[in-house]
Protein backbone atom coordinates (compact mmCIF):
# COMPACT_ATOMS: atom_id res chain seq x y z
CA UNK A 1 0.00 0.00 0.00
CA UNK A 2 1.33 3.43 -0.94
CA UNK A 3 2.09 5.72 1.96
CA UNK A 4 -0.05 8.87 2.31
CA UNK A 5 1.14 11.97 0.47
CA UNK A 6 2.53 14.79 2.62
CA UNK A 7 2.34 18.37 1.35
CA UNK A 8 5.06 20.71 2.61
CA UNK A 9 4.43 24.46 2.38
CA UNK A 10 7.41 26.82 2.34
CA UNK A 11 7.22 30.59 1.76
CA UNK A 12 10.39 32.15 0.34
CA UNK A 13 11.72 35.66 0.59
CA UNK A 14 15.43 36.34 0.11
CA UNK A 15 16.81 33.28 1.92
CA UNK A 16 19.41 32.21 -0.64
CA UNK A 17 22.00 31.66 2.11
CA UNK A 18 19.94 28.93 3.78
CA UNK A 19 17.55 27.62 1.15
CA UNK A 20 19.71 24.77 -0.17
CA UNK A 21 20.14 23.43 3.35
CA UNK A 22 16.38 23.55 3.79
CA UNK A 23 15.65 21.71 0.54
CA UNK A 24 18.35 19.12 1.12
CA UNK A 25 16.87 18.34 4.53
CA UNK A 26 13.63 17.42 2.74
CA UNK A 27 15.44 15.33 0.13
CA UNK A 28 17.13 13.44 2.98
CA UNK A 29 13.85 12.34 4.57
CA UNK A 30 13.42 8.63 5.20
CA UNK A 31 9.75 9.14 4.24
CA UNK A 32 9.70 9.90 0.53
CA UNK A 33 6.06 10.38 -0.53
CA UNK A 34 5.94 14.16 -0.34
CA UNK A 35 5.45 17.27 -2.43
CA UNK A 36 7.14 20.53 -1.46
CA UNK A 37 5.25 23.66 -2.46
CA UNK A 38 7.59 26.65 -2.46
CA UNK A 39 5.97 30.05 -2.91
CA UNK A 40 8.27 32.94 -3.73
CA UNK A 41 7.14 36.28 -2.32
CA UNK A 42 9.04 38.46 -4.81
CA UNK A 43 12.59 37.64 -3.74
CA UNK A 44 15.34 39.84 -5.14
CA UNK A 45 18.18 37.38 -4.55
CA UNK A 46 18.87 33.98 -6.15
CA UNK A 47 16.22 32.06 -4.17
CA UNK A 48 14.06 31.36 -7.23
CA UNK A 49 16.94 30.04 -9.30
CA UNK A 50 17.88 27.68 -6.45
CA UNK A 51 14.34 26.24 -6.38
CA UNK A 52 14.27 25.96 -10.17
CA UNK A 53 17.50 23.98 -10.09
CA UNK A 54 16.07 21.55 -7.54
CA UNK A 55 12.71 21.23 -9.33
CA UNK A 56 14.41 20.34 -12.62
CA UNK A 57 16.02 17.37 -10.90
CA UNK A 58 13.00 16.37 -8.79
CA UNK A 59 9.40 17.16 -9.76
CA UNK A 60 8.29 16.91 -6.13
CA UNK A 61 9.57 20.46 -5.73
CA UNK A 62 6.85 22.79 -7.02
CA UNK A 63 7.44 26.54 -7.42
CA UNK A 64 4.68 29.15 -7.19
CA UNK A 65 5.36 32.88 -7.48
CA UNK A 66 3.49 35.87 -6.10
CA UNK A 67 2.97 38.80 -8.47
CA UNK A 68 3.53 41.17 -5.54
CA UNK A 69 4.93 40.89 -2.02
CA UNK A 70 2.12 39.63 0.22
CA UNK A 71 3.81 38.50 3.44
CA UNK A 72 4.30 34.98 4.74
CA UNK A 73 0.72 34.37 5.93
CA UNK A 74 -1.05 34.99 2.63
CA UNK A 75 1.85 33.30 0.85
CA UNK A 76 1.45 30.17 2.97
CA UNK A 77 -2.28 30.23 2.24
CA UNK A 78 -1.51 29.87 -1.47
CA UNK A 79 0.47 26.74 -0.61
CA UNK A 80 -2.28 25.36 1.61
CA UNK A 81 -4.81 25.88 -1.19
CA UNK A 82 -2.49 24.14 -3.69
CA UNK A 83 -1.70 21.17 -1.40
CA UNK A 84 -2.83 17.72 -2.55
CA UNK A 85 -1.66 15.63 0.41
CA UNK A 86 -3.49 13.93 3.25
CA UNK A 87 -1.02 15.55 5.61
CA UNK A 88 0.12 19.17 5.62
CA UNK A 89 3.46 20.39 7.00
CA UNK A 90 5.21 23.72 7.12
CA UNK A 91 8.94 24.34 6.78
CA UNK A 92 10.39 27.84 6.81
CA UNK A 93 13.07 28.37 4.20
CA UNK A 94 15.85 29.04 6.70
CA UNK A 95 15.06 26.04 8.93
CA UNK A 96 15.96 22.36 8.54
CA UNK A 97 14.43 18.99 9.35
CA UNK A 98 16.01 15.95 10.89
CA UNK A 99 16.07 13.06 8.34
CA UNK A 100 13.50 11.08 10.34
CA UNK A 101 11.08 13.99 10.83
CA UNK A 102 8.29 12.99 8.46
CA UNK A 103 8.44 9.26 9.17
CA UNK A 104 8.46 9.79 12.93
CA UNK A 105 5.56 12.20 12.77
CA UNK A 106 3.35 10.16 10.44
CA UNK A 107 3.81 7.11 12.65
CA UNK A 108 3.01 9.23 15.73
CA UNK A 109 -0.17 10.54 14.09
CA UNK A 110 -1.37 7.18 12.75
CA UNK A 111 -0.48 5.24 15.90
CA UNK A 112 -2.48 7.58 18.14
CA UNK A 113 -5.19 8.75 15.73
CA UNK A 114 -4.10 12.38 16.11
CA UNK A 115 -5.03 15.12 13.66
CA UNK A 116 -2.56 17.82 14.84
CA UNK A 117 1.00 17.24 15.99
CA UNK A 118 4.20 19.19 16.47
CA UNK A 119 7.62 18.44 17.91
CA UNK A 120 10.70 19.45 19.86
CA UNK A 121 13.52 21.21 18.08
CA UNK A 122 17.10 22.39 18.28
CA UNK A 123 18.48 25.89 17.69
CA UNK A 124 21.15 26.65 15.10
CA UNK A 125 22.91 29.88 14.17
CA UNK A 126 23.64 31.37 10.77
CA UNK A 127 26.63 29.03 10.35
CA UNK A 128 24.69 25.86 11.26
CA UNK A 129 26.20 25.60 14.74
CA UNK A 130 24.00 24.17 17.46
CA UNK A 131 23.31 26.83 20.10
CA UNK A 132 21.37 26.88 23.36
CA UNK A 133 19.53 23.90 24.75
CA UNK A 134 16.93 22.09 22.62
CA UNK A 135 13.33 23.09 23.13
CA UNK A 136 11.60 19.96 24.44
CA UNK A 137 7.86 20.31 24.12
CA UNK A 138 5.27 19.31 26.69
CA UNK A 139 3.60 15.89 26.68
CA UNK A 140 0.38 17.57 27.79
CA UNK A 141 -2.23 17.84 25.02
CA UNK A 142 -2.44 21.47 23.93
CA UNK A 143 -5.80 23.17 23.71
CA UNK A 144 -6.86 26.73 22.93
CA UNK A 145 -6.43 28.06 26.48
CA UNK A 146 -2.94 26.57 26.79
CA UNK A 147 -1.74 28.13 23.54
CA UNK A 148 -3.01 31.58 24.49
CA UNK A 149 -0.54 31.54 27.37
CA UNK A 150 2.39 29.79 25.78
CA UNK A 151 3.50 29.56 22.13
CA UNK A 152 4.59 25.96 22.42
CA UNK A 153 4.11 25.13 18.75
CA UNK A 154 6.96 25.81 16.30
CA UNK A 155 5.75 26.12 12.72
CA UNK A 156 8.47 24.00 11.09
CA UNK A 157 7.45 21.01 13.24
CA UNK A 158 3.69 21.06 12.60
CA UNK A 159 1.79 18.27 10.83
CA UNK A 160 -1.96 18.42 10.19
CA UNK A 161 -4.26 15.66 8.94
CA UNK A 162 -6.35 17.46 6.33
CA UNK A 163 -8.69 14.48 5.94
CA UNK A 164 -9.69 14.91 9.58
CA UNK A 165 -9.75 18.67 10.11
CA UNK A 166 -9.99 20.15 6.62
CA UNK A 167 -8.08 23.17 5.35
CA UNK A 168 -7.81 26.15 7.65
CA UNK A 169 -6.23 29.36 6.35
CA UNK A 170 -3.90 31.76 8.13
CA UNK A 171 -5.17 35.22 9.09
CA UNK A 172 -4.00 38.01 6.72
CA UNK A 173 -1.45 39.49 9.13
CA UNK A 174 2.19 40.24 8.38
CA UNK A 175 3.24 38.75 11.72
CA UNK A 176 2.02 35.84 13.86
CA UNK A 177 -0.07 34.30 11.07
CA UNK A 178 1.04 30.81 12.07
CA UNK A 179 0.10 31.39 15.70
CA UNK A 180 -3.26 32.68 14.52
CA UNK A 181 -3.80 29.50 12.53
CA UNK A 182 -3.01 27.23 15.49
CA UNK A 183 -5.44 29.21 17.66
CA UNK A 184 -8.13 28.91 15.00
CA UNK A 185 -7.72 25.13 14.74
CA UNK A 186 -7.61 24.58 18.50
CA UNK A 187 -10.61 26.83 19.05
CA UNK A 188 -12.58 24.44 16.81
CA UNK A 189 -12.05 21.71 19.42
CA UNK A 190 -8.97 19.97 17.99
CA UNK A 191 -6.04 19.29 20.34
CA UNK A 192 -2.36 19.30 19.41
CA UNK A 193 0.12 16.65 20.60
CA UNK A 194 3.86 17.00 20.94
CA UNK A 195 6.76 14.70 20.05
CA UNK A 196 9.52 14.81 22.66
CA UNK A 197 12.32 13.98 20.26
CA UNK A 198 13.78 16.99 18.37
CA UNK A 199 12.65 16.70 14.74
CA UNK A 200 13.74 20.08 13.37
CA UNK A 201 16.36 22.81 13.61
CA UNK A 202 15.24 26.39 14.13
CA UNK A 203 17.66 28.97 12.78
CA UNK A 204 18.07 32.06 14.92
CA UNK A 205 19.25 34.94 12.73
CA UNK A 206 20.24 38.45 13.72
CA UNK A 207 17.49 40.86 12.80
CA UNK A 208 14.88 38.13 12.17
CA UNK A 209 11.25 38.83 13.03
CA UNK A 210 11.42 36.63 16.15
CA UNK A 211 14.89 37.61 17.38
CA UNK A 212 13.64 40.31 19.80
CA UNK A 213 10.56 39.16 21.66
CA UNK A 214 10.39 42.16 23.99
CA UNK A 215 9.79 44.54 21.09
CA UNK A 216 6.72 42.54 20.03
CA UNK A 217 4.69 42.79 23.23
CA UNK A 218 2.48 45.67 22.10
CA UNK A 219 1.90 44.01 18.75
CA UNK A 220 0.90 40.80 20.53
CA UNK A 221 -1.75 42.65 22.52
CA UNK A 222 -3.15 44.16 19.33
CA UNK A 223 -3.02 40.80 17.57
CA UNK A 224 -5.16 39.16 20.27
CA UNK A 225 -7.64 42.04 20.17
CA UNK A 226 -7.98 41.83 16.40
CA UNK A 227 -7.98 38.08 15.82
CA UNK A 228 -9.54 36.72 19.03
CA UNK A 229 -11.83 39.73 19.63
CA UNK A 230 -10.62 40.05 23.22
CA UNK A 231 -10.98 43.15 25.36
CA UNK A 232 -7.83 45.17 26.08
CA UNK A 233 -7.67 43.80 29.62
CA UNK A 234 -7.99 40.20 28.46
CA UNK A 235 -5.42 40.74 25.70
CA UNK A 236 -2.93 42.20 28.20
CA UNK A 237 -3.60 39.30 30.58
CA UNK A 238 -2.71 36.63 28.01
CA UNK A 239 0.16 38.68 26.63
CA UNK A 240 1.71 38.71 30.09
CA UNK A 241 1.81 34.90 30.12
CA UNK A 242 3.07 34.87 26.54
CA UNK A 243 5.89 37.33 27.28
CA UNK A 244 7.16 35.46 30.33
CA UNK A 245 7.10 32.10 28.57
CA UNK A 246 8.69 33.63 25.47
CA UNK A 247 11.55 35.04 27.54
CA UNK A 248 12.17 31.63 29.11
CA UNK A 249 12.06 29.96 25.69
CA UNK A 250 14.50 32.24 23.87
CA UNK A 251 16.82 33.53 26.55
CA UNK A 252 17.53 30.55 28.80
Amino acid sequence: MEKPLISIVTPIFNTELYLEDCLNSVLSQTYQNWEMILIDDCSTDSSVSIVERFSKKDSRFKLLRNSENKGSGITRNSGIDFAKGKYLCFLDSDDRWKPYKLETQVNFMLGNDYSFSFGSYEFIDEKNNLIKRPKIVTEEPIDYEFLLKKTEIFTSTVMLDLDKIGKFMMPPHRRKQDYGLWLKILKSGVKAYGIKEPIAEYRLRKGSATSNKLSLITKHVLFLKETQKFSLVKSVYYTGYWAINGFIKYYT
Side-chain angles (χ1 to χ4, degrees), residues 3-251:
K3 294 182 178 180
L5 177 65
I6 299 174
S7 296
I8 306 159
V9 171
T10 298
I12 302 169
F13 182 70
N14 292 345
T15 50
E16 62 181 1
L17 295 178
Y18 316 108
L19 187 54
E20 288 198 40
D21 268 358
C22 172
L23 302 185
N24 281 323
S25 78
V26 176
L27 277 177
S28 298
Q29 290 299 302
T30 55
Y31 189 105
Q32 286 289 301
N33 191 21
W34 50 261
E35 62 172 1
M36 188 172 190
I37 306 159
L38 299 118
I39 314 97
D40 180 68
D41 198 21
C42 299
S43 294
T44 57
D45 64 1
S46 64
S47 294
V48 168
S49 62
I50 291 171
V51 176
E52 288 175 337
R53 174 159 48 86
F54 274 77
S55 63
K56 285 179 182 178
K57 295 179 180 179
D58 193 323
S59 62
R60 292 177 296 178
F61 294 105
K62 307 176 189 302
L63 175 63
L64 306 179
R65 302 181 71 173
N66 291 342
S67 58
E68 60 183 2
N69 183 271
K70 298 180 178 179
S72 58
I74 294 175
T75 299
R76 286 193 185 105
N77 284 344
S78 296
I80 294 171
D81 188 57
F82 187 87
K84 304 295 192 298
K86 168 180 170 61
Y87 294 106
L88 177 67
C89 292
F90 300 92
L91 176 58
D92 285 350
S93 59
D94 54 352
D95 295 331
R96 304 191 303 194
W97 281 345
K98 299 293 188 182
Y100 49 81
K101 190 266 187 190
L102 292 179
E103 185 169 18
T104 296
Q105 203 158 15
V106 167
N107 290 338
F108 179 71
M109 300 269 283
L110 288 173
N112 295 284
D113 196 28
Y114 294 153
S115 57
F116 186 166
S117 72
F118 61 100
S120 301
Y121 51 95
E122 297 170 345
F123 295 90
I124 57 175
D125 64 15
E126 292 161 310
K127 296 183 179 179
N128 297 332
N129 299 308
L130 285 172
I131 54 175
K132 300 164 49 96
R133 292 177 296 176
K135 166 60 180 177
I136 306 301
V137 298
T138 182
E139 290 182 301
E140 176 186 352
I142 291 183
D143 58 15
Y144 178 69
E145 179 75 14
F146 183 107
L147 196 65
L148 283 170
K149 296 180 177 179
K150 188 176 183 182
T151 53
E152 186 82 354
I153 299 172
F154 170 41
T155 302
S156 290
T157 70
V158 165
M159 181 177 283
L160 304 171
D161 186 334
L162 297 182
D163 286 351
K164 291 182 180 296
I165 69 173
K167 288 186 176 181
F168 285 76
M169 296 296 169
M170 293 191 173
H173 287 70
R174 284 271 173 177
R175 298 282 181 258
K176 300 181 181 295
Q177 322 86 3
D178 46 356
Y179 181 52
L181 177 59
W182 317 146
L183 288 173
K184 187 186 299 186
I185 294 172
L186 297 182
K187 195 172 184 179
S188 76
V190 173
K191 290 185 178 181
Y193 298 86
I195 297 172
K196 300 287 287 185
E197 182 179 13
I199 57 175
E201 295 173 335
Y202 178 18
R203 192 183 304 276
L204 291 179
R205 295 191 283 147
K206 293 179 182 178
S208 66
T210 54
S211 64
N212 189 348
K213 285 291 184 181
L214 295 178
S215 70
L216 300 177
I217 289 176
T218 300
K219 292 180 180 179
H220 193 83
V221 171
L222 295 175
F223 178 85
L224 291 179
K225 282 191 67 182
E226 292 172 7
T227 64
Q228 307 306 304
K229 308 303 179 184
F230 289 164
S231 67
L232 177 60
V233 171
K234 192 172 183 179
S235 298
V236 170
Y237 169 77
Y238 283 114
T239 297
Y241 276 101
W242 170 85
I244 293 170
N245 286 315
F247 181 87
I248 293 170
K249 175 180 175 181
Y250 287 97
Y251 301 108

